[in-house]
Amino acid sequence: MKILVIHNFHRKGSASGDDQVFKSETALLEEHGNTVVRYTVYNDEFDNVGVIGKIMYTFSMLWSYKNYRAVQKLIRKEKPDVVHIHTFFPLLSPSILYAAKRCGIPVVATLHDTRFICPCSTSLRGTQLCNECGDGKYFRMCRYGCFKGSRLQSFLVAVIFKYHRTRKSFYKQIDRYICLNENQIELLKKTGFDEKKIIKKYNFVPDAAVSKKANQNIAKQESFPERYVVFYGRIGEEKGIRILMRIWDRVSDIPLVVMGGGPVEEEFAAWAKIKSNVYYLGYIRHDTCLSIVKGSEFVVFPSIWYEGCSMVEIETESLGKGLVATDLGFSSEAIEDGFNGYKIRLGDIDGFVRKIRKLWSSPEECRKLGNNARRDYEMKYMPEDNYSQLMKIYKKMAVR
């Protein structure tokens, strides 16, 4: 089968989940003998142009003639069976949906976030969950400066999504929506999306636990204790980084190792510097990061937004480690209390502290959760099973 896979990368070097999924899924498809045609852009393109260029890129977010024409040309040349779109915002624009449909090619889109409900993609207003824009009244974003804290940018994004809502671009130009959890499905249904087009498929990660790179002894090469807890991922508001700080303000006797970079990293680094039991390593190479996670007792994940299918969480399970995570989004269905981890109510600092202390004092329970997490990974998130699900979706669409 020939598949045209389209994606708007964040920035080069980014470890964003949707970027990882694009890379791993396309590689998996090729490993099984499929022909994969890639069409990608990077947000660095916007960063590297002058003021005039930025203005032109901003207007093209509504409708990118450049990418519309390029995708149509590529489809006519390659004649793919299916077009699979991951992220289209901001540079590709919804014009690529029309490019594929007008060529008569079925379109599937993986929903890595809640952008079809919330133009900001996070379903957050500040640090509070918000799905009000599901009704299509996007201009309320201007009042709150929802997009990057800017009323002007919020207005521009509201215009883009209002235009495409009016045209029903996201409703009519996509033949199948791959959702990553039940929460996404419910949000889409409430917003008027066709339930018959919706299918759930989790992400996958390669089997990190058997990787030779995941060497538990790596912890001894770093200047932190033999026993420790881990947080890793984007150092951003939506990942609950300030919740993490509040938790460890009350946990002075349990070592925490943190890996990752992001918009809040300077503030976090300054805080970590005065904490004798917090070890902030910044951005760490992926293989080294995995080895450090593998050597931990468990992973803490206090996210405050609707995680789609968190790569951090399924990677943690593949390494045989339990999770203490917010009872929200993907975590709500991925974690079974007392089996492969524990779920804590959103923003419940006391709940996180109690469960972290309980697990820390019981290495045996940590091992039990980790063993169960590994089994859960083997049942749900292995590459081969994911490939079968993906091909089933493609084949059903291609015969239409």
Side-chain angles (χ1 to χ4, degrees), residues 52-85:
I52 301 298
K54 282 182 167 58
I55 292 171
M56 292 177 66
Y57 267 118
T58 299
F59 281 107
S60 71
M61 290 175 190
L62 177 68
W63 186 277
S64 174
Y65 287 99
K66 172 187 171 183
N67 289 300
Y68 174 84
R69 289 191 294 267
V71 168
Q72 280 208 328
K73 182 178 179 181
L74 192 58
I75 289 173
R76 289 171 182 143
K77 176 186 176 185
E78 298 290 346
K79 297 179 173 54
D81 299 295
V82 175
V83 172
H84 188 162
I85 295 169

Side-chain angles (χ1 to χ4, degrees), residues 246-314:
R246 291 174 63 191
I247 294 167
W248 252 263
D249 278 338
R250 296 176 50 182
V251 178
S252 59
D253 55 335
I254 299 176
L256 172 69
V257 175
V258 177
M259 297 171 283
V264 191
E265 63 180 293
E266 285 189 17
E267 178 185 341
F268 183 79
W271 171 85
K273 195 171 182 179
I274 62 173
K275 296 288 181 182
S276 61
N277 64 323
V278 177
Y279 304 84
Y280 179 46
L281 308 183
Y283 174 78
I284 294 291
R285 269 182 44 176
H286 190 239
D287 56 342
T288 304
C289 177
L290 293 184
S291 66
I292 292 172
V293 175
K294 189 171 175 63
S296 71
E297 297 296 306
F298 54 90
V299 170
V300 179
F301 196 69
S303 178
I304 64 171
W305 75 314
Y306 298 120
E307 297 284 344
C309 180
S310 167
M311 302 297 278
V312 165
E313 291 184 88
I314 59 178

Side-chain angles (χ1 to χ4, degrees), residues 1 176 391-400:
M1 180 171 278
R176 189 74 78 244
M391 291 307 295
K392 185 177 180 181
I393 295 168
Y394 289 163
K395 288 176 180 177
K396 189 172 183 179
M397 293 171 62
V399 298
R400 291 183 55 169

Side-chain angles (χ1 to χ4, degrees), residues 116-117 133-138 160-171 191 193:
F116 287 174
I117 294 95
C133 285
D135 63 5
K137 296 178 181 178
Y138 301 121
I160 292 168
F161 278 80
K162 187 66 177 178
Y163 172 77
H164 286 288
R165 175 98 172 202
T166 302
R167 293 194 67 175
K168 295 188 178 296
S169 300
F170 307 134
Y171 294 83
T191 317
F193 284 81

Side-chain angles (χ1 to χ4, degrees), residues 227-229 254 297-300 321-325 337-344 351-370:
R227 291 188 72 215
Y228 54 90
V229 177
I254 299 176
E297 297 296 306
F298 54 90
V299 170
V300 179
K321 297 297 168 181
L323 286 149
V324 181
D337 269 331
F339 177 73
N340 59 339
Y342 285 99
K343 295 178 286 190
I344 311 297
F352 270 106
V353 170
R354 284 195 301 270
K355 202 58 67 177
I356 288 165
R357 288 198 177 281
K358 177 186 175 184
L359 280 178
W360 182 256
S361 64
S362 178
E364 184 178 339
E365 184 174 6
C366 289
R367 285 192 292 273
K368 183 193 79 171
L369 294 181

Side-chain angles (χ1 to χ4, degrees), residues 49-220:
V49 296
V51 174
I52 301 298
K54 282 182 167 58
I55 292 171
M56 292 177 66
Y57 267 118
T58 299
F59 281 107
S60 71
M61 290 175 190
L62 177 68
W63 186 277
S64 174
Y65 287 99
K66 172 187 171 183
N67 289 300
Y68 174 84
R69 289 191 294 267
V71 168
Q72 280 208 328
K73 182 178 179 181
L74 192 58
I75 289 173
R76 289 171 182 143
K77 176 186 176 185
E78 298 290 346
K79 297 179 173 54
D81 299 295
V82 175
V83 172
H84 188 162
I85 295 169
H86 285 268
T87 299
F88 64 84
F89 191 83
L91 301 185
L92 289 170
S93 88
S95 66
I96 61 168
L97 303 175
Y98 289 86
K101 287 296 288 180
R102 288 171 181 174
C103 288
I105 307 299
V107 177
V108 58
T110 295
L111 279 58
H112 293 281
D113 47 41
T114 57
R115 195 177 296 280
F116 287 174
I117 294 95
C118 166
C120 298
S121 82
T122 60
S123 288
L124 288 175
R125 183 189 295 167
T127 59
Q128 301 299 312
L129 285 173
C130 173
N131 290 301
E132 288 188 28
C133 285
D135 63 5
K137 296 178 181 178
Y138 301 121
F139 291 101
R140 63 165 62 89
M141 293 171 57
C142 307
R143 187 190 322 161
Y144 302 106
C146 292
F147 192 80
K148 297 187 177 181
S150 166
R151 290 183 177 180
L152 175 58
Q153 291 187 67
S154 296
F155 174 76
L156 294 173
V157 171
V159 168
I160 292 168
F161 278 80
K162 187 66 177 178
Y163 172 77
H164 286 288
R165 175 98 172 202
T166 302
R167 293 194 67 175
K168 295 188 178 296
S169 300
F170 307 134
Y171 294 83
K172 293 183 176 180
Q173 305 303 316
I174 299 172
D175 299 293
R176 189 74 78 244
Y177 308 97
I178 297 179
C179 288
L180 305 179
N181 60 59
E182 292 295 334
N183 177 74
Q184 279 186 335
I185 293 173
E186 290 306 310
L187 288 173
L188 284 189
K189 286 161 60 176
K190 287 178 182 177
T191 317
F193 284 81
D194 186 352
E195 186 176 355
K196 294 177 183 177
K197 292 184 177 182
I198 300 171
I199 188 166
K200 184 172 77 171
K201 182 187 76 67
Y202 293 133
N203 293 330
F204 75 94
V205 294
D207 193 353
V210 299
S211 170
K212 293 180 181 179
K213 296 177 182 178
N215 176 6
Q216 291 195 45
N217 293 330
I218 192 74
K220 296 179 181 179

